[in-house]
Structure formats: structure tokens, C-alpha cells
Amino acid sequence: MSNRMWGGRFASGPAEIMEEINASIGFDKRLAPQDIRGSLAHVAMLGKAGILPSADVATIEDGLKAVREEIEGGGFVFKRELEDIHMSVESRLTEIVGTAAGRLHTARSRNDQVATDMKLWVRDTLDSLDAQAADLQQALAEKALQHAATVMPGFTHLQSAQPVTFGHHCLAYVEMLARDRGRFRDARARLNECPLGAAALAGTSFPIDRHATAEALGFDRPTANSLDSVADRDFALEALAAASICAVHLSRFAEELVVWTSAQFNFVKLSDGYTTGSSIMPQKRNPDAAELVRAKSGRVIGALTGLLIVMKGLPLAYSKDMQEDKEGTFDALQALSLCLAAMTGMVRDLEPNADVLARAAGSGYATATDLADWLVRELGLPFREAHHVTGRLVGAASAKGIGLEELSLLEMQEAEPRITDTVYAVLGVENSVSSRTSYGGTAPDNVRTQATRWLALLKAPSASA
Ligand code: ARG
């Protein structure tokens, strides 16, 4: 049998493999709520514009609501021969209300329909990702406030660099997430133009009211060019790009958690809720959730790359290639949502090992810069020379296998005779962090101020990104 929806000029139906490669219903059925919402807006507009008689409009509206109930109730049977969600809904509508259903597709096409459905789905998803990222910011800002003065080593090249505070480290991710949220919001604002009514590619000769459908669906305005409306998926690309950047942020933090929870570092403890045991090694406590957050960034970036490649060679307007936008976009944005939720859980339960962190913060000559700064401040040495003197002292201490603070004053004075015993104060880790009071620096007072500022912003959501 040829296709009921478009088979007029076909003598026979598609080959089995054709049907398999062509069908998207297996994955676009999740667009059912958006599809029905779009159809309800479209048919109401057709009625108001006098294109359809109001009796048909009412019949179609009731029918669409009945279809929606069937889908929500799980009683709807999806059939591969109906290809996609658009034809599945319309076909069932025909079964329920009869010939009036055939009038729904007046002045539209699956091309503007699918673009509208996808935009609605991506828009909702961006909103919920934004809210989830805010939850993670909240969890991080709370940890930051609690640990504003908990010292830990700061790294560059994964070598001990200068001491920082645990709270400062948490707030670094709060800032990254703020930019991620800004990107989600930017993407949302740019996508919020309604393609419905662009029809197949050229617009329509019916006197439709595109402003009305745009408004009914919560869009700011209708898209201004019918070709562009059905031909681009930049809104999905932009969402995936924003998601990829966020996933990379989460992945870096996840990597830190994996390293920090190793026995060799032992910087933090993850809760039982976010770790697993080993079936053979009883001592193990594996950071699987963090590892999976790190790994899932791969599929998010993969979806972005995949869709960029799908789109790059397509002439205007619609090509069936664009049906391949869905699985990757759905999968990637869902994966990011799961990662945000898992990270939020891990952070809430996370306990830094303050003693271990303090010991580690002082090792590796992490206060060498403080010593150099002291030489500049107290003795007026040019920084380059102070750097050199400090280097000699680090060399002397390391040759003896001791810390800088364990060198005697005499040993210090061999490198620079004017050094006095007030130098020892800056060699302490606590002193080092509390001296970093420059704006954005790691001093506990700064961290407290920033954490408090974030917690207040997060309480007033409209101002928080
Ligand atoms: N399932 C299609 C997609 O996802 C819907 C649009 C089909 N349009 C067409 N002219 N065949 O892209």
C-alpha cells in the first residue's frame, strides 16, 4: 500500500529498508507535546483568519486533545509506516474525527512544523538546564562559604603553585557556570522566533496570521524569511555548543574529583551515595559518578560535531538530512542534564579533608612567591632579583629535604644578608592566603564576600546570570 499521507502519485509502498531508513518516529515521538501544541495554535489561527469554518476548528481541537490524552496515557500505538510524529498525530486525528482532520495541514508543511517542534523542545530544555546549573551554583557557593578559609594547594601544570582556599576553588566553577547560563539564555533569546507558517519553503497564499501563532506559542515574533525558517538548525547547534562548553567545565571538575579522591591525594571525600565499591577489592571506593560526568562530555561534543557535519553541505531549503538533528540533540542535552544533577549531588555531599589539604598546601615550596614578595616589599629588591634569591633559598631547603620555614635565619642571610626574622610570618600558608586581598584573589574575606554575593543573586533568579 502506498503512503496514506503523501502516496497519491505512488503505485506501491516503500521498500522495507526504505521505511527503516526514513522513519524518525522511534525518536521524534518525544516531540508529541510540542507537535500538538503547534497544531492547536495553527488550527485556532486558521479559524480566526476565516480559512477554516469554526465547526471544523472545534472538531480538530477536540480531536487533538484526545490524541494528546492517548499519548500521555501510553495507549497510543506508534507505527513505523507513518514515518514521524507529525504524520502519526494527523493519522490518528483522522481516525478519531474523520475528514475534518484533513484540513489541519492547510497552509503548513512538515518542514515548518518540525522546525517549530524542535525549537519548542530546545527552548524548554535550555530553560531547565539553566535552572539546573543554578542549583549547582548554589551547592558550590554554599560549600565556598563554609570553606572560605580552608587552605589547599593551588596548582599550575598540576605542580604546587601557591596556596588557595577550597572556597575559592569552588567559586571558580560558580563563575564558569554563570557564563554557561548566560550562553543558554543567549541561545534561547536568539531561537525565539517562530517558523510556523513558512510552510514548505516559500510561505503560503492563504491569509494566515503568523504573528498570532508566534504569540500563542510563546515566541517573540515570527521568523522573517520562509527559506531560512525551514532550512537552518543553528538554534540546535548553538544549544549544543553552549552545552558542550558547560560539559567541558563539568568534566574538568569531575577530573579533579577523581584525582582528589585517590588515596595518594586524599583531598576530599565523596559520599556513599555518589561512589561505588569493587566486587574484588574491599578497600575501594570508586568515584564512578565523577568519571561518568567526565566521559559524557564526549557525547555532548560529539553531537555538536555530528550536527555541524550534517548541516555543512546542505543547499537551501529543507533536506531530509536534517532529520538527523534529533537523536544527537536529545541525547546530548539529556546527558548534560544528568551530569548537572549528579554534580550537584556530589558537591552537596562533598567533604574536604582540611588537615590533608593544609599539609599539602604548605608542601612543594608553595609560599616561595610570598618570600619573593616580602623581599620586594621589605627590602626594596626588584622582583626579578627577589625571584633569584628565593630560588637559591628553595634550592638550599630542597637540598636538605626541608621546608622554607625550616631554614635558619643564618641560612637565609647567606642568600640575602638583610633578611630578618619577620620573614617567617609570610612563609605560613594561612598568612599567604589571607594576604591575597586583591580583587578576585583567594583571601578568605574575599571568598566570603563573593560566596555571599552569589547566594544572594541565586535567591533572586532574574538577576543571577
Ligand atoms: N521527520 C522529518 C524531520 O524530522 C519531518 C520533516 C519532513 N519533511 C519532509 N519534507 N519530508 O525532519
Side-chain angles (χ1 to χ4, degrees), residues 165-176:
T165 75
F166 189 77
H168 198 52
H169 200 102
C170 292
L171 288 178
Y173 285 101
V174 172
E175 296 290 335
M176 293 178 229

Side-chain angles (χ1 to χ4, degrees), residues 24 28 84 86 110-111 114 318 320 322-323 326:
S24 55
D28 69 13
D84 57 24
H86 325 294
R110 280 189 290 157
N111 296 350
V114 74
Y318 178 85
K320 197 62 172 263
M322 289 161 69
Q323 179 165 287
K326 291 179 191 60

Side-chain angles (χ1 to χ4, degrees), residues 61 67 80 92 413 463:
E61 282 177 346
V67 174
R80 198 177 71 177
R92 183 70 188 123
Q413 288 168 340

